[in-house]
Amino acid sequence: MADSPIPQWFAGSEYTHKVAACIMKYGPVSRITIAQILGLSQGAVSRITSDLIYDGVIEEMPMIAGKSGKLPKDFVLKENTERRGRPQTGLRVVERARTFVGMKINATHISAVAVNALGRIVTGCHDLEIDDSAPESVTAIIKQLTLDCAAEAEMSGWPKPCAVGISLGGHIVNDATVTFAPFLHWAQPVELSRMVEDATGLSTGIYNDIDSLVIDACWFGSGVGLNSFAVLTIGAGVGYSLTFNGELVSCPDKSYGLVGHIPVDPDGPRCVSGHKGCAQCLSNNSIAAEYSQILGRPASFDDFARDARANKPQSTNLVNRTCFRLGTLIATVANIAMPDKIMIAGESSFIARLGIDDLRNGIKTYRHSQASPVDFEIPEHDWALWAKAAAAQAIRQYVG
């Protein structure tokens, strides 16, 4: 495996980095709990955490009853009789130790935020339009956004950012080279990590945007501690990513939108590849085309979205049909990958909330009646959160 373009925060053994990652996810957490989660001796954990405290990575704090962080699913802390009655000391990452810049590149604009060492946004969302999608022009926009985020973070008393994480829709090799970015019309390899580092002076990692969402959830959000977590996105395209034990399930072809060609409706429209009723019917362009056919005149996706929010009958019928199809896709993912939870995200995920009953019906139709209910969430869409997710990828690699 190639080295990451993001350097590690501190030197240490494999277990040192595992302890730091454990504290990042579950803190504030006690040394005893860390030892039991990782299967290490309490002595080893004490030595490692002492080094991390000395290096300014973590800090101690009193453990308040009911205020501990999340823990791994089904984890049960074994009683430690030697420390019974003693107040426990918690460990957490020093949130002001580092800041990172995260960015999400879209077809028309780039959104950027700065986050602290705990993956929390500490600036406003800075947004610039892309007038020219040539790699050099995009790099110039990234440089300006990095400067803007850094200036705001430092004015608020946060340290200067130490790294940049950038996400986009496409295929990336070694977190450095973009080999395919359809929304930017990049068909040839672009050494984006090197270009941004040369422009900003900061180490830069480049990541798939949907992978970044699922990593952010598993390190800092609703996926923390779960055995498996999946993300499905709908918008300009249809995307999917999956983790087991917080690690991405990876394969060379995963960034090519393959989930978009899973059948979801035998009577659905054909995609550009000729597949009838595949999940591409959940994409904005397909919905716009279908809405145009229903109205008998040209209509854009924005027209559909406006009418759907206004509960106009023809748009509502398409909302319900789309949500049943989405429920079918969710059931397919749940049946095959069996994740503990599924996040439905993307700029068009509002549709899922408008037709939630039909979405549930779609899941139910293709799910065994005795199978456990599918746990899913539909967060509010916000490009700042997508930018934050790119920073989470950089943090993950920085911690090692």
Side-chain angles (χ1 to χ4, degrees), residues 330-347:
I330 292 169
T332 301
V333 169
N335 293 343
I336 295 174
M338 295 178 280
D340 292 327
K341 191 169 190 175
I342 299 174
M343 176 191 290
I344 305 162
E347 65 268 32

Side-chain angles (χ1 to χ4, degrees), residues 164-177:
V164 179
I166 298 172
S167 74
L168 52 83
H171 191 73
I172 298 99
V173 175
N174 298 331
D175 302 331
T177 304

Side-chain angles (χ1 to χ4, degrees), residues 60-93:
E60 292 182 316
M61 61 176 294
M63 288 286 283
I64 302 172
K67 294 292 184 180
S68 61
K70 295 181 181 179
L71 292 175
K73 182 182 178 182
D74 302 325
F75 173 80
V76 178
L77 182 66
K78 299 173 184 175
E79 184 179 5
N80 188 308
T81 55
E82 295 178 7
R83 297 184 61 86
R84 184 179 295 169
R86 298 182 186 179
Q88 294 241 350
T89 299
L91 297 168
R92 67 178 179 186
V93 171

Side-chain angles (χ1 to χ4, degrees), residues 38 86 109 172 272 286 293 393 398:
L38 297 179
R86 298 182 186 179
H109 66 280
I172 298 99
V272 294
S286 182
Q293 188 176 30
Q393 284 268 48
Y398 197 61

Side-chain angles (χ1 to χ4, degrees), residues 372-393:
S372 58
V374 177
D375 186 8
F376 65 87
E377 63 175 328
I378 313 169
E380 289 286 342
H381 174 68
D382 186 347
W383 288 125
L385 299 181
W386 285 70
K388 168 189 179 299
Q393 284 268 48

Side-chain angles (χ1 to χ4, degrees), residues 303-319:
D303 294 331
F304 163 76
R306 182 192 62 245
D307 292 350
R309 291 187 170 104
N311 296 315
K312 292 190 176 182
Q314 290 168 310
S315 62
T316 297
N317 288 338
L318 184 53
V319 164

Side-chain angles (χ1 to χ4, degrees), residues 69-130:
K70 295 181 181 179
L71 292 175
K73 182 182 178 182
D74 302 325
F75 173 80
V76 178
L77 182 66
K78 299 173 184 175
E79 184 179 5
N80 188 308
T81 55
E82 295 178 7
R83 297 184 61 86
R84 184 179 295 169
R86 298 182 186 179
Q88 294 241 350
T89 299
L91 297 168
R92 67 178 179 186
V93 171
V94 180
E95 65 177 359
R96 288 187 170 271
R98 296 287 190 276
T99 62
F100 303 77
V101 173
M103 296 190 198
K104 168 67 168 85
I105 301 179
N106 293 289
T108 59
H109 66 280
I110 304 177
S111 302
V113 297
V115 307
N116 64 20
L118 291 177
R120 295 170 184 159
I121 297 174
V122 297
T123 64
C125 184
H126 297 259
D127 197 282
L128 290 175
E129 291 186 3
I130 299 175

